[in-house]
Amino acid sequence: MLDADFFHRWMSTTAASVDREAAHLTELDSAIGDADHGSNLQRGFTAVAAALDKEPPQTPGAVLMLAGRQLISTVGGASGPLYGTLLRRTGKELGDAPAVTAEELARALGAGVAAVAQLGGAQAGDKTMLDALLPAVEALGTSFEAGRDAALAGALATVPLQARKGRASYLGERSIGHQDPGATSSALLIDALAETAGAVGGGA
């Protein structure tokens, strides 16, 4: 079972990963976006880690709800609302349970991803964060490691795609040949989940 401490460590691991990869995310975003994706997420997840350390929530759902609120309030542009919606909706789906199964997390994350798709009006193949999250959610039904691998493959698969949503879509065909920064940061989120699960000997 995955308790509030597991979710706290997932968010802390994500914050550390985003901090390490911030320059790379911004480099990717400089090619097809505003060149601020790395710095924006770095600020947001640093705030998430600080808030969770200051007053640790007692349930998995509450951890993700707090993380989502922090991202919405500290990250500008589209990334804050999209990541905030992902985590808040996932947390809402988990409810007040003191601990959840890996299967319950996968289902709740699926609802979170659906909320992101609705908010952004995007779908698979639009060269967005969904290209990493959608295959990840499906693969999480097998294992955390499979989810991590699917998210990474999905992020890499955005390279030959033409962006159809967000600022990158303004570039038209010139967006082809660049890895989507949102899909890349989403892969970091799922990688952190797998790392957290591995640290406790877990697995779906």
Side-chain angles (χ1 to χ4, degrees):
M1 294 293 282
L2 312 174
D3 59 11
D5 180 63
F6 175 92
F7 283 78
H8 187 160
R9 285 185 287 111
W10 175 23
M11 290 297 103
S12 298
T13 301
T14 301
S17 180
V18 167
D19 189 54
R20 285 195 307 271
E21 296 295 325
H24 177 56
L25 293 173
T26 291
E27 181 183 353
L28 294 175
D29 197 33
S30 67
I32 58 174
D34 293 328
D36 59 3
H37 190 61
S39 56
N40 277 343
L41 283 192
Q42 187 178 35
R43 180 174 62 254
F45 276 101
T46 296
V48 167
L52 292 175
D53 287 344
K54 182 178 181 181
E55 193 169 345
Q58 299 303 305
T59 67
V63 170
L64 295 186
M65 293 285 282
L66 175 57
R69 288 198 299 272
Q70 285 295 317
L71 291 173
I72 289 172
S73 64
T74 58
V75 179
S79 297
L82 289 171
Y83 269 99
T85 294
L86 173 67
L87 297 182
R88 288 184 65 191
R89 181 58 186 270
T90 302
K92 184 177 180 182
E93 289 293 318
L94 293 176
D96 297 327
V100 300
T101 65
E103 292 77 11
E104 288 170 334
L105 169 57
R107 284 196 296 272
L109 195 57
V113 173
V116 169
Q118 184 175 24
L119 178 64
Q123 57 187 354
D126 282 346
K127 201 179 182 88
T128 71
M129 60 196 293
L130 292 178
D131 290 311
L133 292 174
L134 286 168
V137 165
E138 186 173 346
L140 281 173
T142 302
S143 70
F144 287 115
E145 290 74 14
R148 174 191 59 200
D149 293 346
L152 178 58
L156 294 174
T158 62
V159 173
L161 299 178
Q162 179 174 330
R164 293 197 290 261
K165 291 292 179 182
R167 189 174 183 81
S169 66
Y170 302 159
L171 298 176
E173 292 184 353
R174 286 182 292 141
S175 65
I176 296 173
H178 301 283
Q179 186 169 323
D180 182 66
T184 306
S185 58
S186 294
L188 292 179
L189 178 74
I190 304 300
D191 179 71
L193 174 61
E195 181 179 336
T196 305
V200 297

